[in-house]
Amino acid sequence: MLNKIKRILIELGGIHRFVMRFFRELVRPPYEFKEIIKQCYEVGWKSLPLISLTGFITGIVFTNQSRPSLAEFGATSWLPALISIAIIRALAPLVTALIASGKVGSQIGAELGSMKVTEQIDAMEVSGTNPFKFLVVSRVLATTITIPILSLYTACVGLLGAYLSVNQHESTSFVVYFSQVFEAVSYLDIFSLVLKAVVFGYTIGIVGCYQGYNSSKGTEGVGKAANWAVVMSMFLIFVEEILIVQIIQGMRT
Amino acid sequence: MVNEREHIDQHTKVITVKGVSKSFGDLDVLRGVDLHLFKGENLVVLGRSGTGKSVLIKLISGLLKPDTGTIEVLGEPVDELDEKALQLLRLKIGFSFQSSALYDSMTVRENLEFPLVRNKRHLSRNEINSEVEDVLDAVGLLHTIGQMPSELSGGQRKRIGIARTLILRPEIMLYDEPTAGLDPITCIEINGLINEVQEKYKTSSIIITHDLACAKSVGDRIVMLLDGSFERGGSFDEIFDTNDERVKPFYDYNFII
Ligand SMILES: Nc1ncnc2c1ncn2[C@@H]1O[C@H](COP(=O)(O)OP(=O)(O)OP(=O)(O)O)[C@@H](O)[C@H]1O
Ligand SMILES: [Mg+2]
């Protein structure tokens, strides 16, 4: 356990340098638009089925679990407000990010890792293409752009799932449900959702790329890269979640 | 001492390596290496596994930086160039990797197009297609154009890798163990290919290998990397006219057993 924490701290130093290089390469032309769009498709579109399912189920389960507590006070009419705040402020970005770090982060780590150990990254470099820009910058931008969009989508799907449950038990109509949902949610909540998702998306991309790009020789290195991409990005996502919530709370008052 | 072949221009050095050392942590891999390559020459580098042969050509192509010493390629100091100048220089150097290093998410055609599309943006679709077919034909693998690298054999991958470097018409070719792990017939084909490339595209080449048959059939001159530097150099017969215990086994293993 102690070893793991030490490893994480050492990695953070390496990630810091990697991040600096990312910003240097990001602003310098040429820009790899085609590759960025391709990666957005890879990250966003291919995660849709899993995200849809998870978002929907989260909405239903959360509603069903919250109902008894509210029912004790005879306050089940507050359900839509409670659900919408929970989903938009906390659940949607977090669930999306955790799923994406498992699916997308590990995939990026494994892909770049195997390119590294089979010398494909070197081959790219000697044939006149900057591999950092082509592989890393495009992937990090793709996750930073798509995770917020996916999070908003997850929120919608989650609210729909919750509606199914509310409609069944409290027979609230669609219109009433959503007007209550939107009444409870402020612009700041939406802003915080997007802000978190941007930070999470960036984290997933940069950690996955960092692990893959620096993976050690051999197929074992590729497995480790994928594994560490998930462990590190989940760890960082929780830390960032706590920090951002503090900041947003400060803005609320 | 050099095989006098007419294609070698003994007055022009395309690569000059002087006093180059390289260590990784505590491991001193290269200790003061001197090396030169004449225009049009095929230079073979022999050496045991782990002596730093791959490191040497990675230094030459600027993938690694030397700790000390200088490396000049086509008159330019590789270790001092900025990124842009290095990229331009690299277009004149073809690097055939030990592991072939084909992009495994792309088809053979896309692999070959990659360097072209990215470096020569003015080319039309037709020009690109004909270039691709041209080099693929030169390595005798035109029929694999639509396949993925995972569907190819090791020898085919090696040849596609060589084709991918040829497509930019390099002046210098660096081959890292082109025949390692291949059957004798495929080895002979690869050796033939290296010689053909040299004749057709007028390249100067460094060929790294353990395979003496390869060394003998393609090498104009041979140098041997021993304990971090080049101690022996010359023609095939000169190299092995010795009782040095570090050199003899290479010959014995390949020709006596
Ligand atoms: N990037 C690197 N980081 C750390 N050590 C390295 C690196 N590249 C090479 N080495 C070490 O340098 C030594 C020489 O490696 P190199 O790949 O050049 O050997 P080689 O002569 O090509 O051997 P082989 O014939 O097996 O390919 C090895 O011990 C290797 O572990
Ligand atoms: Mg090697």
Side-chain angles (χ1 to χ4, degrees):
Chain A
M1 186 64 202
L2 234 125
N3 253 342
K4 282 214 164 173
I5 292 175
K6 198 173 141 201
R7 166 94 201 260
I8 287 177
L9 289 178
I10 293 174
E11 294 280 294
L12 283 179
I15 290 185
H16 171 74
R17 281 191 298 278
F18 198 74
V19 167
M20 295 325 254
R21 179 157 180 211
F22 170 81
F23 285 112
R24 270 202 312 278
E25 303 269 8
L26 176 68
V27 293
R28 226 171 31 187
Y31 307 109
E32 306 279 358
F33 291 115
K34 234 172 108 183
E35 193 59 20
I36 294 170
I37 290 168
K38 187 177 152 210
Q39 289 304 325
C40 283
Y41 171 81
E42 290 281 325
V43 174
W45 186 250
K46 293 197 172 164
S47 305
L48 266 189
L50 190 58
I51 297 268
S52 306
L53 187 69
T54 321
F56 196 72
I57 290 176
T58 306
I60 294 179
V61 170
F62 182 76
T63 312
N64 287 344
Q65 299 292 340
S66 311
R67 183 173 293 110
S69 318
L70 287 186
E72 258 178 54
F73 306 101
T76 46
S77 60
W78 287 359
L79 256 180
L82 173 77
I83 294 161
S84 63
I85 286 181
I87 287 185
I88 289 182
R89 283 193 192 166
L91 290 174
L94 203 56
V95 165
T96 312
L98 291 180
I99 289 197
S101 81
K103 187 175 183 307
V104 179
S106 64
Q107 191 195 331
I108 291 178
E111 191 183 9
L112 293 198
S114 70
M115 291 189 75
K116 168 84 179 186
V117 302
T118 57
E119 300 181 304
Q120 291 174 53
I121 291 182
D122 285 343
M124 210 168 259
E125 187 155 3
V126 294
S127 68
T129 294
N130 178 341
F132 197 96
K133 192 166 266 183
F134 188 79
L135 299 171
V136 175
V137 173
S138 63
R139 279 171 176 72
V140 176
L141 282 181
T143 54
T144 313
I145 295 167
T146 49
I147 300 294
I149 299 172
L150 283 177
S151 294
L152 285 169
Y153 171 79
T154 308
C156 294
V157 177
L159 288 172
L160 268 181
Y163 166 72
L164 276 196
S165 169
V166 171
N167 178 262
Q168 205 180 8
H169 291 83
E170 284 83 23
S171 41
T172 314
S173 78
F174 191 79
V175 178
V176 172
Y177 170 78
F178 271 98
S179 67
Q180 287 181 352
V181 163
F182 285 117
E183 222 163 90
V185 174
S186 67
Y187 281 113
L188 187 62
D189 292 327
I190 305 279
F191 170 75
S192 100
L193 180 152
V194 174
L195 174 69
K196 277 187 201 172
V198 166
V199 174
F200 295 164
Y202 179 78
T203 305
I204 292 168
I206 205 95
V207 171
C209 288
Y210 169 78
Q211 292 295 346
Y213 209 77
N214 292 301
S215 77
S216 52
K217 289 271 175 197
T219 34
E220 201 199 334
V222 178
K224 272 194 188 148
N227 192 344
W228 271 100
V230 178
V231 174
M232 284 229 66
S233 57
M234 283 196 178
F235 173 79
L236 288 173
I237 284 168
F238 286 123
V239 173
E240 288 160 357
E241 163 79 25
I242 294 167
L243 291 180
I244 295 175
V245 167
Q246 299 299 322
I247 294 169
I248 297 289
Q249 283 305 340
M251 289 167 73
R252 232 181 265 286
T253 50
Chain B
M1 63 181 242
V2 174
N3 284 0
E4 292 293 344
R5 283 214 233 162
E6 84 239 54
H7 58 259
I8 302 174
D9 174 359
Q10 297 243 17
H11 303 290
T12 319
K13 289 180 183 169
V14 288
I15 296 178
T16 316
V17 174
K18 276 200 191 119
V20 162
S21 311
K22 179 77 188 171
S23 330
F24 296 103
D26 295 335
L27 183 72
D28 296 330
V29 180
L30 300 178
R31 308 184 190 125
V33 168
D34 294 304
L35 179 81
H36 60 265
L37 177 70
F38 291 119
K39 195 165 190 235
E41 184 183 35
N42 276 348
L43 175 69
V44 168
V45 175
L46 290 177
R48 287 185 61 183
S49 202
T51 46
K53 304 182 299 299
S54 298
V55 168
L56 176 70
I57 55 171
K58 283 185 179 163
L59 287 166
I60 291 174
S61 61
L63 282 174
L64 295 172
K65 293 244 173 287
D67 298 337
T68 62
T70 58
I71 300 169
E72 236 176 57
V73 177
L74 298 167
E76 305 204 52
V78 176
D79 44 319
E80 288 166 22
L81 294 179
D82 62 23
E83 198 186 323
K84 202 153 189 188
L86 187 58
Q87 255 189 28
L88 283 177
L89 179 63
R90 277 176 175 155
L91 300 184
K92 300 178 194 160
I93 309 174
F95 196 134
S96 155
F97 284 85
Q98 193 163 353
S99 56
S100 304
L102 299 183
Y103 306 128
D104 41 34
S105 59
M106 304 181 194
T107 63
V108 168
R109 179 196 288 278
E110 287 162 345
N111 260 281
L112 294 177
E113 275 175 8
F114 190 82
L116 265 193
V117 174
R118 304 196 45 91
N119 293 299
K120 306 205 170 158
R121 291 173 195 264
H122 58 274
L123 290 182
S124 73
R125 193 66 241 170
N126 280 339
E127 285 170 314
I128 290 176
N129 284 344
S130 81
E131 287 281 310
V132 168
E133 283 160 24
D134 196 43
V135 288
L136 212 43
D137 198 31
V139 299
L141 285 175
L142 197 48
H143 58 281
T144 63
I145 193 161
Q147 282 174 291
M148 299 301 285
S150 56
E151 300 166 335
L152 303 174
S153 74
Q156 288 175 323
R157 288 158 151 270
K158 272 268 154 62
R159 283 192 276 172
I160 300 286
I162 294 173
R164 189 178 63 187
T165 64
L166 286 177
I167 204 156
L168 289 173
R169 300 279 180 266
E171 294 171 37
I172 296 174
M173 283 293 290
L174 306 172
Y175 297 93
D176 197 349
E177 309 207 10
T179 59
L182 303 178
D183 69 87
I185 297 177
T186 314
C187 286
I188 293 171
E189 283 173 13
I190 298 259
N191 295 342
L193 178 62
I194 293 174
N195 283 327
E196 268 171 45
V197 165
Q198 148 117 137
E199 272 159 38
K200 187 165 176 198
Y201 299 107
K202 305 277 176 263
T203 52
S204 326
S205 318
I206 294 182
I207 301 114
I208 289 177
T209 189
H210 309 281
D211 171 7
L212 291 202
C214 169
K216 195 165 183 170
S217 83
V218 304
D220 297 315
R221 181 163 60 101
I222 297 174
V223 289
M224 191 141 194
L225 196 53
L226 294 168
D227 302 324
S229 66
F230 289 109
E231 291 179 25
R232 299 186 67 78
S235 70
F236 188 83
D237 297 328
E238 284 166 341
I239 282 269
F240 292 105
D241 183 17
T242 174
N243 281 320
D244 191 330
E245 281 305 319
R246 297 169 304 174
V247 180
K248 259 171 72 68
F250 275 84
Y251 189 85
D252 295 351
Y253 182 75
N254 277 269
F255 291 103
I256 292 180
I257 301 170

